[in-house]
């Protein structure tokens, strides 16, 4: 079987990090948000599948932190809630 | 008084089905007869126009609630259907339910655990903020999973395949299911399984999707119209209900009389047809019900759907009062904040004045003038007075005096528009926020709306017959808000990229060019004529030449610049020389402004123009909208003054070139033709060298295009040698006022190759474009090269080719506008509920995050410098001040270090070069579009 491509290594794919339970809570508290208000990312998303392989099982309800390079602000951080699909 | 604040808040909306019981319960009367009115013209009881259903004739009272027209909301009636029929709006749901439940026990075709699994999944999704579309999808998935089963896990019955014969017939392995059977099956589905299938059994049951009773809408929903002849004309919905009633009646009679099964079934199907078309007359698969005249009936769905439907036309869009529309025309003497309103319109549009003790006398005086105040000067009168009890009194010439006496605090006086009123001004299509801006009224004679030409670009207006709308604000809050947020001066900078959208166009640019180019001089008389309109200014010391006082245009322009302004930039006429001579530029293209004085350089499009004007940009950004507006107003007047002193015109003789030049162009063209011929010969002989990645034919085309492109440029250059800056057309092109040098070279030199889809013309006849040429001719004139110029005129074949190219341009614009319009509609529908919250995040109305920080950087593009948050160059310039040498060095350094920024994602308006020119057809409503 050919080795699967790690999409996270592609330069056009932003960094994805899986947050621990503790970190997730902290993020939600800092942003004064509830889980349902976060943008979503699907379990079937290629980036999430890679995360699942390297950072342990990803489950519905976990939060992924995404760090992108931005032309205007250098770095921009956002969070997404993992949902089914 | 008005109620303020939120008294009730909607937390949720739930939709459910009407049960037959509910339909009967809310019904004011049962409808049994298909007749509407009796011979005397009175509505028949238990007919479709039963007076229990509401009132439509004034003077009568409703038999249900006893109220009059406009007070009675109307009441529903109902029809008891002889046999159940399927509701077309729900066939999809019915199909899904039938397929996913057991044909004998009615339970969901999934084991308890499986169903539980799906339900848990949905709960989890709801917890994470899923909406009804998402949960609906899970319900659909559940149903699909269940439908795949062939035997019921509960009673082991073998399931048969159910298909839908559009639009309303269900079949089970070919055997037809009657609506009655369908209804019985739906009745068997237990409540618990309904939850899994995405329905709330507490409010709706699936069998209600098969109708046994039909609600009859109130007469107010389907009013009949009395024609001039005295005949009554009924609404389409009433007509359809008559059909339903007739067939229903016949079906009942036949069934009760024990008619043959075949006849009953036929009538049943007919009833189904009528009920279906009553809901939706455009159901695919059945012919639409027609009016006697052959026009298809407009039934319920048609009333709601589409652009002319209830939602888009009546609920999202409303017609308004206090508005006016007329032709627009220019007036450079108005401020950009103003709009000229014709007297006739001002007398019709009113502003409500709430009378208090303090404005009582003024209100009385205004009212005394009546609706048409006398006198040569415009004075606002009053059209209506509204008393404290809400009664409106029309003010006329006769009663003006007496009404005026009765006015007391608490009254509202609707006075005419007057100078300084805030109104909204709009031109369709309203594509961006600058399409509706607030202006101050100036009441003027004649019949058009007038405004400053600098406001044309944001509205995308011209004066070839354009009309615009004007709306008068009716409340103090609205006026205050409009003045702060919507005034024209607040929109000088565009939210698109932070560059000005309001600025000089056409003659203003030509005017300022003529004023400031090189050392233009004006005598005392001329100077006074130019500056008389710009208000009080202190004239600088005149230059004395031959004993006469002169002022230079640069001195005059300096008068309207703010005291401390420092700027350095290159003008539009800059020739982009290899080495820039800076202040000593021989074309006067290097603009230097120090202490608010124009030292060198010409003021043209780069300084004042809309989209590009650097001075306007800087003033709006650093000095605020007030100063910027003042500057634009005065620059307009200066430019117009200057252009009127010199006079300015252009005609076809501006493109005259000497015979010698014409011969040169002719030679160049002949040479190019021969060169093309050589290429073709080489190709025929097979000697043409193939380019990498291209076929031989493509190579030939590329080569030929290259030669012909060069030929046109050469022609342009030859012509350009004889077109100097003393030429009006050249002044316009070079200063950026209108037209380009390419346009000029096409007029004076040669038009060049015509293209369709980016290729030389090749289609038309067999292997040739026109029958004037040999088959297979690849030469320049056979494939759409126009060697003539517009001035010399085109040969018939050239003219034909030119039309082909022009037609493509027209088609492209037509296609583009319709496509971009639809795209914009979809974008707006998707983005309309987003807003930036106080914490900088972008959210929708549900409170879910769209962006954590607006635009990922929190930058307002309107206040950015071409997309960047800070203008570093400008800061350096400010800090180092007037040290010209240093600035130059810093800028050179800056060019080195900032030059390599990768900003390919953004088009910066500060970028050099006129290549980013606005795409704009030269003759908008004319015909022949210019090719590029």
């Amino acid at each position: 079987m050919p080795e699967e491509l790690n999409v996270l290594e592609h330069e056009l794919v932003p960094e994805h990090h899986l947050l621990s339970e503790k970190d997730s809570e902290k993020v939600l508290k800092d942003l004064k948000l509830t889980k349902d208000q976060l943008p979503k990312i699907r379990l079937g998303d290629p980036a999430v599948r890679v995360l699942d392989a390297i950072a342990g099982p990803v489950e519905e309800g976990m939060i992924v932190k995404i760090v992108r390079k931005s032309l205007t602000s250098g770095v921009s951080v956002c969070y997404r809630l993992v949902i089914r699909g | 008084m008005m109620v303020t604040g939120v008294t009730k808040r909607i937390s949720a909306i739930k939709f459910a089905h009407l049960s037959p019981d509910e339909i009967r319960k809310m019904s004011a009367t049962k409808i049994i007869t298909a007749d509407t009115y009796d011979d005397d013209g009175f509505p028949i009881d238990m007919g479709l126009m039963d007076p229990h259903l509401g009132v439509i004739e004034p003077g009568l009272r409703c038999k249900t609630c006893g109220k009059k027209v406009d007070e009675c909301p109307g009441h529903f009636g109902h029809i008891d259907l002889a046999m159940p029929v399927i509701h077309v709006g729900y066939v999809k749901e019915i199909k899904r339910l039938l397929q996913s439940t057991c044909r004998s026990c009615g339970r969901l075709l999934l084991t308890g655990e499986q169903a539980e699994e799906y339900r848990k999944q949905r709960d989890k999704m709801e917890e994470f903020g899923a909406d009804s579309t998402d949960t609906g999808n899970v319900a659909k998935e559940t149903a699909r999973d269940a439908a795949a089963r062939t035997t019921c896990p509960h009673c082991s019955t073998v399931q048969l395949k159910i298909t839908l014969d559009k639009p309303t017939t269900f079949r089970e392995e070919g055997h037809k299911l009657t609506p009655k059977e369908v209804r019985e099956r739906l009745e068997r589905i237990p409540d618990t399984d309904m939850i899994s299938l995405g329905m709330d059994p507490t409010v709706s049951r699936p069998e209600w999707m098969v109708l046994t009773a039909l609600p009859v809408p109130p007469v107010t929903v389907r009013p009949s119209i009395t024609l001039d002849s005295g005949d009554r004309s009924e609404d389409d919905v009433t007509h359809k209900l008559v059909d339903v009633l007739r067939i229903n009646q016949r079906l009942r009679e036949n069934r009760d009389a024990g008619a043959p099964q075949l006849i009953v079934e036929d009538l049943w199907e007919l009833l189904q047809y009528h009920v279906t078309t009553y809901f939706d007359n455009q159901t695919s698969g059945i012919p639409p019900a027609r009016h006697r005249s052959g026009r298809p009936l407009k039934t319920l769905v048609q009333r709601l759907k589409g652009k002319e439907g209830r939602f888009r036309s009546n609920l999202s869009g409303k017609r308004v009062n206090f508005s006016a529309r007329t032709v627009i025309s220019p007036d450079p003497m108005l401020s950009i904040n103003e709009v000229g309103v014709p007297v006739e319109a001002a007398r019709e549009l009113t502003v409500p004045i709430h009378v208090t003790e303090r404005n009582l006398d003024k209100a009385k005086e205004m009212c005394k003038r009546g609706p048409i105040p006398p006198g040569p000067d415009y004075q606002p009168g009053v059209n209506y007075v509204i008393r404290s009890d809400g009664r409106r009194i029309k003010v006329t010439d006769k009663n003006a005096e007496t009404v005026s006496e009765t006015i007391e605090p608490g009254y509202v006086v609707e006075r005419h528009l007057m100078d300084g009123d805030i109104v909204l001004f709009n031109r369709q299509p309203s594509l961006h926020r600058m399409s509706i801006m607030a202006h101050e009224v100036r009441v003027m004679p004649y019949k058009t709306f007038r405004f400053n030409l600098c406001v044309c670009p944001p509205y995308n207006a011209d004066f070839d017959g354009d009309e615009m709308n004007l709306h008068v604000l009716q409340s103090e809050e609205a006026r205050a808000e409009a003045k702060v947020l919507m005034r024209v001066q607040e929109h000088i900078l565009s939210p698109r990229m932070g560059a000005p959208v309001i600025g000089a166009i056409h003659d203003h640019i030509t005017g300022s060019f003529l004023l400031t180019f090189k050392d233009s001089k004006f005598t005392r008389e001329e100077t006074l004529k130019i500056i008389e309109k710009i208000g009080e200014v202190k004239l600088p010391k005149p230059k004395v030449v031959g004993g006469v006082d002169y002022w230079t245009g640069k001195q005059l322009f300096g008068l309207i610049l703010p005291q401390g302004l420092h700027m350095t930039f290159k003008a539009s006429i800059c020739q982009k020389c290899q080495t820039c001579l800076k202040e000593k530029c021989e074309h006067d293209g290097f603009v230097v402004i120090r202490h608010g004085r124009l030292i060198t350089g010409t003021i043209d499009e780069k300084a004042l123009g809309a989209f590009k004007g650097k001075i306007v940009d800087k003033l709006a950004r650093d000095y605020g909208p007030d100063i910027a507006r003042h500057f634009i107003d005065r620059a307009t007047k200066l430019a117009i003054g200057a252009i009127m002193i010199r006079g300015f015109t252009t005609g076809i003789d501006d493109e005259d070139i000497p015979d010698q030049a014409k011969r040169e162009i002719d030679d160049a063209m002949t040479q190019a033709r021969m060169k093309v011929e050589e290429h073709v010969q080489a190709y025929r002989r097979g000697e043409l060298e193939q380019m990498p990645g291209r076929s031989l034919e493509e190579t030939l085309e590329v080569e030929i295009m290259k030669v012909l492109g060069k030929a046109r440029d050469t022609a342009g250059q030859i012509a350009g040698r004889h077109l100097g800056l003393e030429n009006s057309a050249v002044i316009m092109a070079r200063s950026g006022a209108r037209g380009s040098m390419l346009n000029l070279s096409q007029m004076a030199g040669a038009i060049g190759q015509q293209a369709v889809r980016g290729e030389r013309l090749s289609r038309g006849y067999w292997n040739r474009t026109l029958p004037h040429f040999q088959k297979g001719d690849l030469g320049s004139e056979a494939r759409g090269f126009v060697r003539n110029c517009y001035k010399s005129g085109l040969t018939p074949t050239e003219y034909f080719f030119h039309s082909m190219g022009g037609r493509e341009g027209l088609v492209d614009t037509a296609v583009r506008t319709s496509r971009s319009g639809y795209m914009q509609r979809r974008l707006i529908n998707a983005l309309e509920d987003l807003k930036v919250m106080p914490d900088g995040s972008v959210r929708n109305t549900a409170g879910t995050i769209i962006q954590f920080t607006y635009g990922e950087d929190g930058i307002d593009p309107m206040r950015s410098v071409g997309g960047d948050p800070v203008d570093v160059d400008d800061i350096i310039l400010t800090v180092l001040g007037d040290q010209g040498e240093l600035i130059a060095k810093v800028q050179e350094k800056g060019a080195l270090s900032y030059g390599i920024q990768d900003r390919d994602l953004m088009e910066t308006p500060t970028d050099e070069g006129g290549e980013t020119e606005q795409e704009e057809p030269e003759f908008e409503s004319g015909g022949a579009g210019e090719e590029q």
Side-chain angles (χ1 to χ4, degrees):
Chain A
M1 202 180 101
E3 204 179 314
E4 213 176 297
L5 174 79
N6 182 351
V7 286
L8 290 186
E9 279 167 15
H10 195 281
E11 62 164 352
L12 291 179
V13 179
E15 287 174 37
H16 286 63
H17 304 279
L18 189 64
L19 292 191
S20 67
E21 189 106 344
K22 231 170 81 192
D23 288 343
S24 305
E25 267 168 40
K26 190 173 161 4
V27 164
L28 290 178
K29 223 180 115 195
D30 288 351
L31 293 170
K32 293 186 184 127
L33 288 175
T34 51
K35 271 191 179 176
D36 61 302
Q37 292 175 322
L38 288 175
K40 314 285 186 286
I41 189 166
R42 289 184 182 277
L43 269 172
D45 190 292
V48 175
R49 292 220 308 261
V50 174
L51 270 188
D52 187 65
I54 58 175
V58 181
E59 279 162 28
E60 227 180 315
M62 286 179 147
I63 295 177
V64 174
K65 177 183 180 180
I66 298 167
V67 184
R68 321 194 147 80
K69 273 187 243 164
S70 159
L71 213 65
T72 42
S73 65
V75 171
S76 90
V77 182
C78 73
Y79 301 91
R80 281 174 185 272
L81 180 76
V82 179
I83 58 163
R84 202 185 63 94
Chain B
M1 273 324 288
M2 223 172 14
V3 184
T4 48
V6 180
T7 50
K8 274 178 189 164
R9 193 176 276 275
I10 297 167
S11 61
I13 297 177
K14 196 164 197 169
F15 291 97
H17 301 120
L18 274 179
S19 75
D21 282 349
E22 263 176 301
I23 291 171
R24 292 191 187 101
K25 226 183 276 169
M26 72 179 194
S27 160
T29 177
K30 187 174 164 181
I31 311 291
I32 49 170
T33 146
D35 301 317
T36 47
Y37 296 97
D38 61 21
D39 298 337
D40 306 326
F42 289 107
I44 295 169
D45 267 358
M46 302 188 89
L48 277 170
M49 286 296 165
D50 191 300
H52 291 277
L53 299 180
V55 273
I56 39 171
E57 276 162 273
L60 292 177
R61 280 182 181 278
C62 170
K63 278 202 178 171
T64 307
C65 62
K67 287 178 188 158
K68 283 184 282 189
V69 182
D70 289 348
E71 290 169 358
C72 165
H75 310 278
F76 273 89
H78 81 279
I79 298 170
D80 276 321
L81 296 173
M83 303 284 255
V85 287
I86 282 162
H87 189 310
V88 258
Y90 293 117
V91 273
K92 260 195 192 147
E93 284 73 13
I94 295 174
K95 185 188 176 202
R96 212 174 65 211
L97 291 173
L98 290 179
Q99 286 175 339
S100 58
T101 55
C102 173
R103 61 189 298 259
S104 76
C105 74
R107 297 194 49 188
L108 183 63
L109 293 171
L110 287 176
T111 59
E113 297 91 69
Q114 282 173 313
E116 182 63 20
E117 189 63 31
Y118 276 117
R119 242 172 293 157
K120 268 193 190 146
Q121 197 175 39
R122 213 165 54 203
D123 290 345
K124 196 153 198 183
M125 284 175 72
E126 255 161 19
E127 185 194 333
F128 294 149
D131 55 18
S132 56
T133 8
D134 298 323
T135 50
N137 283 337
V138 177
K140 263 182 215 157
E141 215 176 296
T142 316
R144 210 178 311 133
D145 200 0
R149 287 249 181 178
T150 47
T151 48
C152 174
H154 307 285
C155 66
S156 316
T157 314
V158 177
Q159 301 299 318
L160 299 178
K161 209 173 153 214
I162 290 174
T163 49
L164 172 62
D165 216 355
K166 287 254 166 95
T168 48
T169 318
F170 288 99
R171 286 179 195 281
E172 193 175 49
E173 311 244 299
H175 165 72
K176 210 157 136 192
L177 290 176
T178 62
K180 208 171 168 185
E181 287 169 296
V182 172
R183 195 166 199 275
E184 278 158 8
R185 288 199 185 191
L186 296 176
E187 276 169 5
R188 283 201 290 267
I189 305 174
D191 279 358
T192 44
D193 286 347
M194 285 320 301
I195 301 171
S196 299
L197 288 165
M199 248 168 100
D200 182 357
T202 55
V203 289
S204 38
R205 281 288 312 169
E207 63 266 24
W208 299 343
M209 295 191 289
V210 180
L211 298 164
T212 54
L214 191 69
V216 175
V219 281
T220 41
V221 172
R222 41 184 180 91
S224 54
I225 306 158
T226 316
L227 299 169
D228 294 334
S229 57
D231 295 345
R232 270 224 173 78
S233 173
E234 297 298 336
D235 192 275
D236 281 3
V237 171
T238 310
H239 278 302
K240 202 62 235 178
L241 283 167
V242 168
D243 293 342
V244 172
L245 275 167
R246 264 201 206 116
I247 302 303
N248 194 39
Q249 191 63 27
R250 265 175 65 194
L251 177 60
R252 177 171 293 126
E253 282 162 8
N254 274 290
R255 188 197 57 193
D256 294 348
Q261 187 65 21
L262 214 68
I263 291 175
V264 173
E265 254 169 43
D266 275 0
L267 283 171
W268 195 355
E269 236 160 73
L270 197 55
L271 181 66
Q272 176 73 60
Y273 166 79
H274 283 306
V275 173
T276 302
T277 47
Y278 165 67
F279 286 117
D280 182 359
N281 202 14
Q282 281 171 339
T283 319
S284 57
I286 52 168
R290 286 174 192 281
H291 199 251
R292 254 171 310 175
S293 61
R295 167 182 66 86
L297 293 172
K298 254 188 116 182
T299 52
L300 295 183
V301 166
Q302 278 69 50
R303 280 193 178 194
L304 308 178
K305 220 165 77 181
K307 200 163 169 184
E308 259 102 70
R310 200 93 322 143
F311 291 104
R312 275 177 74 181
S313 182
N314 300 112
L315 290 164
S316 304
K318 289 263 185 290
R319 299 193 165 258
V320 294
N321 288 323
F322 306 103
S323 62
R325 180 185 174 94
T326 183
V327 177
I328 51 169
S329 50
D331 188 339
M333 287 312 163
L334 292 178
S335 162
I336 56 166
N337 269 344
E338 291 178 313
V339 59
V341 180
V343 172
E344 284 94 329
R347 293 246 178 268
E348 207 60 55
L349 299 164
T350 57
V351 176
I353 300 293
H354 294 263
V355 180
T356 63
E357 271 143 33
R358 264 156 291 164
N359 65 14
L360 182 63
D361 291 342
K362 224 175 184 177
K364 279 189 172 169
E365 191 199 318
M366 240 182 307
C367 180
K368 211 179 283 174
R369 287 188 214 130
I372 311 154
D377 294 329
Y378 177 86
Q379 279 185 307
V382 168
N383 282 354
Y384 281 96
V385 170
I386 300 158
R387 296 196 318 211
S388 316
D389 61 3
R391 278 279 298 273
R392 287 175 83 88
I393 299 163
K394 190 172 171 62
V395 181
T396 58
D397 275 339
K398 282 183 193 129
N399 72 4
E401 197 94 12
T402 41
V403 172
S404 163
E405 293 306 313
T406 67
I407 292 177
E408 53 189 70
Y411 275 38
V412 174
V413 171
E414 292 199 326
R415 63 138 239 257
H416 295 159
L417 221 51
M418 55 192 262
D419 288 3
D421 279 335
I422 296 283
V423 294
L424 300 187
F425 201 40
N426 162 232
R427 180 180 178 275
Q428 281 97 354
S430 312
L431 295 174
H432 52 195
R433 67 186 210 193
M434 287 84 80
S435 292
I436 305 178
M437 292 191 286
H439 289 247
E440 280 162 25
V441 168
R442 273 272 289 272
V443 181
M444 301 176 119
Y446 311 119
K447 301 202 166 173
T448 57
F449 287 140
R450 266 146 289 173
F451 56 87
N452 191 299
L453 286 118
C454 294
V455 199
C456 284
Y459 288 122
N460 191 17
D462 50 38
F463 305 108
D464 61 1
D466 289 24
E467 291 181 44
M468 282 178 72
N469 301 325
L470 181 135
H471 299 270
V472 182
L473 298 169
Q474 297 289 306
S475 77
E476 219 56 69
E477 295 93 322
R479 275 190 289 273
E481 201 164 309
K483 197 163 181 176
V484 172
L485 299 172
M486 299 178 71
R487 229 158 30 134
V488 176
Q489 64 175 49
E490 310 296 330
H491 292 263
I492 293 173
L493 294 178
S494 156
R496 189 173 76 187
M497 65 324 192
V501 266
I502 292 168
I505 52 168
H506 305 177
D507 274 9
H508 292 182
I509 293 173
T510 311
S512 59
F513 176 89
L514 295 175
L515 180 73
T516 56
F517 185 56
K518 293 196 172 161
D519 41 1
S520 53
K521 287 190 210 59
F522 297 92
T523 62
R524 177 172 291 271
E525 194 194 340
E526 288 169 341
T527 304
L528 291 178
K529 255 189 189 153
I530 293 174
I531 64 166
E532 68 176 351
K533 292 283 196 300
I534 64 169
E536 213 168 292
V537 284
K538 207 172 151 219
L539 265 186
K541 258 209 193 121
K543 302 248 155 72
V544 187
V545 179
V548 190
D549 285 356
Y550 284 105
W551 280 269
T552 66
K554 289 192 168 70
Q555 277 181 309
L556 298 184
F557 187 77
L559 293 176
I560 60 168
L561 292 169
Q563 287 283 304
L565 186 72
H566 299 276
M567 287 188 83
T568 317
F569 61 90
K570 286 174 185 163
S572 271
I573 52 159
C574 170
Q575 296 286 293
K576 295 173 193 116
C577 318
Q578 285 285 305
T579 47
C580 185
L581 295 173
K582 300 281 166 62
E583 284 85 348
K584 295 179 192 74
C585 177
E586 52 182 352
H587 310 289
D588 204 17
F590 195 75
V591 182
V592 177
I593 295 170
R594 291 288 174 269
H595 300 287
R597 282 200 303 252
L598 181 59
I599 313 286
T600 65
T602 310
I603 299 303
D604 54 21
E605 198 193 12
K606 274 286 186 61
L608 299 180
F611 304 110
K612 290 180 184 162
K614 297 213 171 190
I615 299 181
V616 181
D617 187 33
K618 171 115 177 154
L619 291 185
R621 198 179 299 286
D622 294 357
Y623 292 75
D626 271 320
I627 304 267
R629 186 215 64 224
H630 195 54
F631 171 75
I632 295 174
D633 287 347
R634 300 213 291 176
T636 306
K637 286 165 190 166
L638 266 192
I640 296 299
I643 202 172
M644 289 205 303
I645 292 288
R646 181 189 178 271
F648 193 80
T649 184
T650 182
I652 189 70
D653 55 355
D654 272 346
E655 282 79 40
D656 272 341
I657 50 169
D659 287 344
Q660 171 62 27
K662 278 187 199 156
R663 276 194 296 276
E664 275 177 55
I665 292 172
D666 221 39
D667 287 347
M669 289 296 141
T670 313
Q671 257 175 36
R673 204 188 83 192
M674 271 148 58
K675 221 164 169 189
V676 169
E677 200 50 45
E678 272 169 38
H679 279 299
V680 174
Q681 289 307 328
Y683 163 73
R684 292 255 154 81
R685 286 194 304 267
E687 288 167 10
L688 198 68
E689 203 169 310
Q690 204 169 341
M691 284 162 93
R694 286 220 162 81
S695 72
L696 214 54
E697 288 73 23
E698 282 168 350
T699 312
L700 178 68
E701 283 300 307
V702 170
E703 290 294 341
I704 293 175
M705 287 289 260
K706 226 191 269 171
V707 171
L708 294 178
K710 210 179 276 168
R712 191 194 59 190
D713 292 345
T714 321
Q717 272 161 21
I718 296 169
R721 282 210 289 272
H722 303 280
L723 302 172
L725 268 175
E726 68 293 333
N727 185 314
S728 298
V730 178
I731 290 179
M732 288 196 288
R734 295 271 294 279
S735 66
R738 195 77 224 236
S740 62
M741 286 314 279
L742 176 76
N743 292 152
L744 291 183
S745 76
Q746 286 192 324
M747 284 189 267
I751 294 167
Q753 179 64 47
Q754 299 299 303
V756 168
R757 295 189 191 161
E759 283 168 6
R760 294 206 300 159
L761 303 176
S762 62
R763 287 156 52 89
Y765 293 81
W766 268 76
N767 294 329
R768 51 182 167 173
T769 47
L770 285 174
H772 308 70
F773 304 105
Q774 293 279 315
K775 279 178 189 161
D777 187 350
L778 293 173
S780 58
E781 57 274 78
R783 287 297 170 93
F785 184 74
V786 183
R787 61 180 291 172
N788 282 304
C789 59
Y790 285 117
K791 184 137 189 262
S792 66
L794 281 66
T795 66
T797 51
E798 282 175 345
Y799 181 81
F800 194 91
F801 293 141
H802 184 256
S803 306
M804 287 171 74
R807 172 65 58 87
E808 193 198 24
L810 289 183
V811 171
D812 275 4
T813 15
V815 171
R816 242 200 336 257
T817 43
S818 66
R819 264 217 302 241
S820 68
Y822 184 43
M823 192 169 94
Q824 169 137 10
R825 185 181 144 69
R826 271 152 42 196
L827 264 178
I828 287 175
N829 279 339
L831 303 179
E832 62 182 353
D833 68 335
L834 306 191
K835 64 174 177 178
V836 182
M837 305 298 282
D839 66 356
S841 63
V842 181
R843 302 190 193 207
N844 62 16
T845 38
T848 53
I849 298 261
I850 307 298
Q851 279 182 339
F852 284 87
T853 19
Y854 172 71
E856 295 191 343
D857 54 10
I859 301 291
D860 175 359
M862 186 171 157
R863 276 157 236 272
S864 72
V865 185
D868 292 327
V870 197
D871 189 347
V872 180
D873 293 346
D874 191 62
I875 291 173
I876 295 174
L877 207 99
T878 316
V879 172
L880 295 180
D882 198 22
Q883 292 160 288
E885 289 285 303
L886 257 173
I887 293 166
K889 268 183 197 160
V890 168
Q891 278 186 336
E892 260 160 44
K893 250 189 177 173
L896 285 176
S897 54
Y898 296 113
I900 341 163
Q901 272 183 350
D902 37 325
R903 23 161 71 157
D904 36 324
L905 284 180
M906 251 167 284
E907 179 210 352
T908 46
T910 42
D911 271 354
E912 295 293 325
E915 269 71 59
T916 45
E917 219 163 282
Q918 284 286 106
E919 231 181 277
E920 199 180 357
E922 288 287 312
F923 308 104
E924 262 110 40
S925 50
E930 220 97 331
E931 69 291 315
Q932 294 304 315

